[in-house]
Amino acid sequence: MSTAPPPFPTPQEPVALPGLLQLGTSPEADEPCLRADAARNRARLLEAAGRLVAERGADAVTMEAVAAAACVGKGTVFRRFGDRTGLLTALLDHSEKKFQAAFLSGPPPLGPGAPPVERLRAFGRGMLRRSVDELELQLAAEPGANRRFVVPARRVLRHHVVMLLRQAVPEADCELLSHTLMGQLDPALIHHLTKQCGIPLARLEEAWTDLVDRLTDTA
């Protein structure tokens, strides 16, 4: 049985609305209600998907299974999330936003206020811990090779690493070095090292710190 994904807030963003409105009502009056219904339906689908992950693992999360668990048509799930990867990514969205808030505006050393090398160390350790906690779901949500480096959430993470590298080693090729560092935090690699090789999380954290120190010449 897998660990349940972190709770997610009720979605607030607007979702594509149905094209037909009841006769005799104005679109202005109905639109907030329609948006609220769409948000509730999206939350219900995510709750159903979260239950499936907790009870049967991420592999059990298919569009058909989520539709059945939420008692809606399969087309509704596709309209909300596009495909299975989009659905699984939405399940990870809350923890992604929490982690982004932590490194963008949270307390140091992960957040602003600490030297860039300390922030890089804290960033990697935070990513490693988060990945270990959500490993099955992250692997299931992994996009295809043609999309994995352009997914918005991943671009935000890498650009943050680029920013810290430019502060720590401005003379280096920080764009390419950021890919080297992010490769150490790849969920598939973490799965291999922790599950197949039996390497403890503490050793991965130490290796991350060592890599950062060697790249920034602060060992």
Side-chain angles (χ1 to χ4, degrees):
M1 183 176 295
S2 302
T3 303
F8 40 82
T10 302
Q12 300 296 323
E13 67 270 23
V15 184
L17 304 177
L20 298 177
L21 299 172
Q22 291 184 356
L23 295 177
T25 61
S26 67
E28 292 78 8
D30 283 348
E31 186 171 327
C33 183
L34 289 170
R35 288 182 176 179
D37 286 345
R40 281 192 295 270
N41 288 339
R42 186 175 188 273
R44 185 155 61 104
L45 292 169
L46 288 173
E47 288 169 6
R51 287 196 304 272
L52 287 172
V53 172
E55 295 169 2
R56 295 158 50 190
D59 288 343
V61 180
T62 64
M63 306 300 262
E64 295 81 359
V66 171
C71 300
V72 300
K74 184 172 68 174
T76 300
V77 188
F78 278 99
R79 284 193 297 273
R80 291 287 179 266
F81 302 105
D83 57 18
R84 182 175 181 270
T85 298
L87 172 61
L88 293 168
T89 300
L91 273 177
L92 288 167
D93 182 63
H94 180 44
S95 67
E96 185 68 48
K97 287 178 178 176
K98 281 181 61 179
F99 188 66
Q100 287 182 14
F103 69 69
L104 291 174
S105 58
L110 181 56
V117 173
E118 288 187 24
R119 295 190 68 193
L120 270 173
R121 294 173 185 147
F123 174 85
R125 290 193 295 266
M127 282 282 290
L128 286 166
R129 293 167 190 164
R130 178 178 166 229
S131 291
V132 167
D133 288 342
E134 304 171 347
L135 192 51
E136 185 178 352
L137 193 54
Q138 286 195 11
L139 287 174
E142 187 74 11
N146 63 328
R147 292 174 53 201
R148 67 183 310 184
F149 297 109
V150 296
V151 171
R154 185 164 298 187
R155 292 175 66 184
V156 169
L157 297 173
R158 193 184 67 79
H159 288 168
H160 180 67
V161 171
V162 171
M163 180 198 72
L164 294 177
L165 283 172
R166 285 176 176 160
Q167 294 174 6
V169 281
E171 73 283 358
D173 188 340
C174 297
E175 284 286 335
L176 289 183
L177 279 183
S178 70
H179 285 288
T180 299
L181 285 172
M182 289 299 293
Q184 189 85 353
L185 306 174
D186 181 73
L189 177 61
I190 295 171
H191 175 267
H192 169 67
L193 295 175
T194 58
K195 303 298 184 183
Q196 297 174 333
C197 298
I199 296 176
L201 174 61
R203 184 176 167 191
L204 298 186
E205 292 179 353
E206 291 171 4
W208 169 264
T209 299
D210 182 54
L211 178 61
V212 168
D213 289 350
R214 289 175 185 275
L215 286 178
T216 58
D217 197 22
T218 54

